[in-house]
Structure formats: C-alpha cells, structure tokens
Amino acid sequence: MKTYRFIKISNNNNPAQDFYIDITIMDSVKLRMSILKSQLKKYRETCAGLYRPAWYYIENCDYSYYELDKQDFLNYNEAREHATNLYKEQFEKMNNGKHQFNNNKFIMTIE
C-alpha cells in the first residue's frame, strides 16, 4: 500500500467553487507545491509535455493550499476515486447546496 496525500489548492477570490484536488505520494506538501512551480517554469520555457491543472492556480490566481487528507490505497485508481469524493464533499460543504456540482472537473496527479 502507498500513502497518498490530497492537496486542496484554492483560488482565494472564489474558494467555494474554484479549487483543485492534487494527488501525490510525496511526504511534503510544501515540496510538492515547489515541484509544481518548477515544472510550470520548465513548461513555459520548453512548451513540452502536458499542461497540469494545478498550474492554473499557481499561474493565474491568488491561491492557497493545504493537505486535505492522507490515506493508504492499494493503487492510484482507488486514490483517484477518493479524491473525486473529497472534491464533491468539499464543493457541497462550501456551497451549502446553493450550486450544483459540475462533473466536468478532473482530478489528476503527477508522480
């Protein structure tokens, strides 16, 4: 089993509706965010590779982040399912049923 950490990255101007759950097996959330920033810088310089959803917050927003959850899972698919449930729970909690959950949001990871 691997220990997965779930990092909530939020746009501080609209934290109830504009946030992302990043999945990582890294021990340090600060180090993970630092790596995301470095990867974004390299991506800008080379334009090679896939654009990561977490970069949107780093690049365009006044953002904040914290470790939302940490659990052990047998594989990434189980962790991703948990991340999807966390996203739904956070969205409902932050919006008190005022807005409908958008199933078009994706939760991805970089390992």
Side-chain angles (χ1 to χ4, degrees), residues 15-41:
Q17 296 176 21
D18 192 8
F19 62 91
Y20 175 75
I21 307 287
D22 187 64
I23 306 167
T24 187
I25 58 172
M26 296 182 71
D27 289 334
S28 170
V29 172
K30 286 183 181 181
L31 182 58
R32 171 66 177 155
M33 292 303 293
S34 192
I35 288 171
L36 283 171
K37 289 176 192 176
S38 295
Q39 289 174 334
L40 174 59
K41 182 179 178 186

Side-chain angles (χ1 to χ4, degrees), residues 16-72:
Q17 296 176 21
D18 192 8
F19 62 91
Y20 175 75
I21 307 287
D22 187 64
I23 306 167
T24 187
I25 58 172
M26 296 182 71
D27 289 334
S28 170
V29 172
K30 286 183 181 181
L31 182 58
R32 171 66 177 155
M33 292 303 293
S34 192
I35 288 171
L36 283 171
K37 289 176 192 176
S38 295
Q39 289 174 334
L40 174 59
K41 182 179 178 186
K42 185 175 180 182
Y43 177 81
R44 283 187 198 143
E45 292 169 357
T46 63
C47 294
L50 297 174
Y51 185 84
R52 308 294 179 191
W55 293 348
Y56 165 80
Y57 297 92
I58 295 168
E59 197 170 33
N60 300 310
C61 301
D62 171 22
Y63 71 95
S64 58
Y65 64 90
Y66 65 96
E67 186 176 317
L68 180 63
D69 195 14
K70 176 177 80 170
Q71 287 194 24
D72 293 333

Side-chain angles (χ1 to χ4, degrees), residues 75-111:
N75 57 48
Y76 171 73
N77 289 333
E78 288 180 5
R80 182 174 173 148
E81 185 178 325
H82 181 68
T84 302
N85 292 335
L86 283 173
Y87 185 91
K88 289 177 182 179
E89 289 170 11
Q90 288 294 305
F91 189 88
E92 290 170 6
K93 177 181 172 182
M94 297 291 290
N95 290 287
N96 295 321
K98 295 176 188 170
H99 300 280
Q100 208 169 16
F101 175 72
N102 181 353
N103 285 318
N104 293 326
K105 288 273 190 171
F106 293 101
I107 301 165
M108 302 176 78
T109 187
I110 305 169
E111 293 187 52

